[in-house]
Amino acid sequence: MEISEDNILTISGERPNKYKTPENNNMKISKMECQYGKFSRSFSIPETADLDKIQAKMENGSLEVIIPKAEPPKTQRRTIQVQ
């Protein structure tokens, strides 16, 4: 995963062809349900995201990406005396 300068998150990877192995050379496949090969997906990340706290976790073949919102800037209250 990588984030570009213009806040685009790109996730890329590769699914192996588990049927194209030396052990499976004699198999004849007429239809294959799952795809294989390289893939890439890109998403725009909002300006309000905290880029330093993005987390990603892979579990049971599913990728979970957590993009937390950044804390809003704290403003200091001031009292101004009217003269």
Side-chain angles (χ1 to χ4, degrees):
M1 289 182 20
E2 67 180 24
I3 300 174
S4 67
E5 289 180 15
D6 50 349
N7 284 359
I8 302 293
L9 172 68
T10 302
I11 300 170
S12 59
E14 185 173 357
R15 290 184 198 107
N17 183 354
K18 62 183 177 182
Y19 297 104
K20 200 170 191 177
T21 62
E23 302 88 40
N24 297 332
N25 265 347
N26 296 330
M27 288 181 66
K28 293 186 178 186
I29 300 171
S30 60
K31 184 177 180 180
M32 187 180 309
E33 294 293 326
C34 58
Q35 297 178 351
Y36 61 91
K38 293 183 179 184
F39 65 90
S40 177
R41 302 291 183 269
S42 296
F43 306 93
S44 296
I45 298 196
E47 299 273 335
T48 58
D50 188 346
L51 301 180
D52 295 326
K53 293 185 180 176
I54 293 177
Q55 299 176 1
K57 178 174 69 170
M58 176 75 83
E59 189 173 324
N60 295 328
S62 293
L63 176 65
E64 178 181 12
V65 180
I66 300 169
I67 305 172
K69 285 186 177 181
E71 293 291 324
K74 295 182 180 181
T75 57
Q76 296 179 357
R77 282 186 88 152
R78 299 186 319 171
T79 304
I80 301 172
Q81 298 270 335
V82 177
Q83 298 179 3

